[in-house]
């Protein structure tokens, strides 16, 4: 996907709601554009999330679509637009981070549910510092010790999403090889596994292991499905590859990944059994 499609979740959610309101009010794109003293492309860009309108433009459209001044929906949409203008914690690293990675950080900050599949390593949001350093070092990128420390610290900042007042629901499916593969040293790996148990107990994170001895499933490589609440039900799939990232948004594609999560869930051990397996492996590594 090109950079034009890397829209923030907030803009997409806001744009989709504005389109629904416009169509319900039976206002044409051209009529809405005239009210903003622009052309039809401006309305299209607002509704698809590629353009962030001003507060005045948003208020003008809501008036045109008949949304009352003190309506809760109006307040929520204005708040959503304002949030999109707030300074994000990662902007201090703007010169270092690529646009694709910034989009990931935005998605993590907005979502209400994350469903992840990882057949290679523990997901970044669940990694300990030592495990993260080993994974980043082993990525093949020629990074200096200072750069490795930066990316490890950034990964820890991302994990603050679970400290939110209303943290996202997190469900993760990993293969048994992920929890058995010793990354760095047995002690580091044991600490990582115990950290998973801690995250499960403290934050209610669901981690399910797909066992070696179980039904074979093939859903491709790692992916993360970000979900958002009604009425702005706009899900996004994040897929990382060696040369960049994909953000998949088409309805048919999203449906395939939803089905993939169901396949993974049916093949994985229940949460309690997964925790028991993870605990036993940690004991084997570092009794």
């Amino acid at each position: 996907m090109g950079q034009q499609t890397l829209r923030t979740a907030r803009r997409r959610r806001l744009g989709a709601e504005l389109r629904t309101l416009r169509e319900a009010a039976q206002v044409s794109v051209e009529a809405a554009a005239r009210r903003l003293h622009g052309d039809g492309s401006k309305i299209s860009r607002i509704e698809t999330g590629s353009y962030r309108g001003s507060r005045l433009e948003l208020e003008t459209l809501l008036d045109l679509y008949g949304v009352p001044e003190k309506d809760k929906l109006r307040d929520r949409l204005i708040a959503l637009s304002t949030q999109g203008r707030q300074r994000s914690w990662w902007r201090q690293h703007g010169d270092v981070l690529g646009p694709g990675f910034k989009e990931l950080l935005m998605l993590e900050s907005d979502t209400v549910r994350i469903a992840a599949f990882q057949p290679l390593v523990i997901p970044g949001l669940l990694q300990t510092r030592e495990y993260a350093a080993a994974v980043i070092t082993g990525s093949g990128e020629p990074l200096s010790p200072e750069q490795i420390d930066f990316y490890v610290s950034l990964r820890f900042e991302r994990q603050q999403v679970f400290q939110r007042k209303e943290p996202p629901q997190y469900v993760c499916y990993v293969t048994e090889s992920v929890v058995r593969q010793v990354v760095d040293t047995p002690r580091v790996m044991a600490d990582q596994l115990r950290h998973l148990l801690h995250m499960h107990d403290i934050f209610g994170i669901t981690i399910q292991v797909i066992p070696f001895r179980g039904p074979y499933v093939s859903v491709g490589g790692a992916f993360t499905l970000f979900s958002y609440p009604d009425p702005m039900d706009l899900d996004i799939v994040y897929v990382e590859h060696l040369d960049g990232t994909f953000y998949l948004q088409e309805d048919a594609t999203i449906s395939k990944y939803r089905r993939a999560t169901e396949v993974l869930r049916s093949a994985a051990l229940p949460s309690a059994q997964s925790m028991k397996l993870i605990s036993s492996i940690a004991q084997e590594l570092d009794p």
Side-chain angles (χ1 to χ4, degrees):
M1 286 189 178
Q3 293 304 320
Q4 187 177 359
T5 64
L6 297 181
R7 311 176 185 110
T8 68
R10 286 192 180 102
R11 290 185 196 175
R12 294 182 66 246
R13 290 158 66 188
L14 179 61
E17 187 72 2
L18 288 173
R19 178 176 180 177
T20 298
L21 289 171
R22 178 179 60 76
E23 292 176 344
Q26 297 183 327
V27 176
S28 68
V29 170
E30 293 72 20
R34 285 195 297 271
R35 187 63 64 94
L36 295 185
H37 306 290
D39 56 24
S41 66
K42 187 172 191 177
I43 298 299
S44 296
R45 286 183 289 125
I46 290 175
E47 292 182 351
T48 56
S50 59
Y51 168 72
R52 182 178 65 191
S54 68
R55 169 71 177 267
L56 178 59
E57 288 174 327
L58 175 59
E59 296 266 20
T60 300
L61 291 177
L62 293 175
D63 288 340
L64 178 62
Y65 301 157
V67 182
E69 281 287 341
K70 296 185 179 181
D71 190 278
K72 288 184 178 180
L73 175 60
R74 187 186 187 104
D75 293 341
R76 182 160 57 84
L77 293 178
I78 291 173
L80 189 62
S81 174
T82 303
Q83 289 170 354
R85 292 177 173 83
Q86 293 174 350
R87 183 173 179 83
S88 303
W89 62 263
W90 58 85
R91 291 189 181 180
Q92 61 183 309
H93 308 307
D95 295 338
V96 180
L97 305 178
F101 193 72
K102 292 177 185 177
E103 180 74 3
L104 172 63
L105 298 176
M106 178 64 77
L107 295 179
E108 289 177 347
S109 70
D110 278 350
T111 190
V112 297
R113 186 176 188 274
I114 302 174
F117 169 56
Q118 182 50 262
L120 297 176
V121 295
I122 303 296
L125 288 177
L126 304 180
Q127 292 178 5
T128 63
R129 182 173 292 276
E130 290 177 304
Y131 183 96
V135 169
I136 293 170
T137 301
S139 67
E141 292 291 326
L143 300 174
S144 67
E146 292 75 19
Q147 288 174 310
I148 292 172
D149 185 64
F150 166 77
Y151 284 112
V152 169
S153 297
L154 183 67
R155 194 157 295 187
F156 262 70
E157 289 187 81
R158 288 170 56 198
Q159 294 176 9
Q160 295 304 306
V161 68
F162 297 120
Q163 303 288 346
R164 281 179 3 199
K165 184 178 179 180
E166 296 182 1
Q169 178 187 2
Y170 189 94
V171 180
C172 176
Y173 304 99
V174 296
T175 59
E176 186 172 341
S177 59
V178 169
V179 294
R180 288 196 179 278
Q181 174 68 52
V182 176
V183 174
D184 199 36
T185 67
R187 182 192 60 80
V188 167
M189 190 63 198
D191 287 345
Q192 172 62 73
L193 295 179
R194 293 191 177 102
H195 180 67
L196 296 182
L197 301 174
H198 171 79
M199 295 294 284
H200 170 77
D201 293 340
I202 301 301
F203 297 106
I205 289 171
T206 300
I207 304 162
Q208 293 184 246
V209 179
I210 301 169
F212 289 142
R213 296 183 179 180
Y216 174 76
V217 293
S218 178
V219 296
F223 67 86
T224 305
L225 173 62
F226 296 96
S227 299
Y228 300 90
D230 292 333
M232 302 177 190
D233 188 16
L234 295 170
D235 294 358
I236 301 175
V237 170
Y238 166 78
V239 179
E240 187 175 2
H241 57 95
L242 283 177
D243 198 35
T245 54
F246 289 130
Y247 292 92
L248 311 176
Q249 306 175 47
E250 297 298 326
D251 290 343
T253 302
I254 296 298
S255 294
K256 290 180 180 178
Y257 278 93
R258 285 178 181 151
R259 288 194 296 271
T261 60
E262 289 302 309
V263 170
L264 293 167
R265 184 179 62 82
S266 64
L269 297 173
S271 180
Q273 287 183 243
S274 296
M275 294 299 98
K276 185 176 181 180
L277 174 62
I278 290 171
S279 178
S280 67
I281 297 173
Q283 286 288 341
E284 293 172 6
L285 292 171
D286 187 18

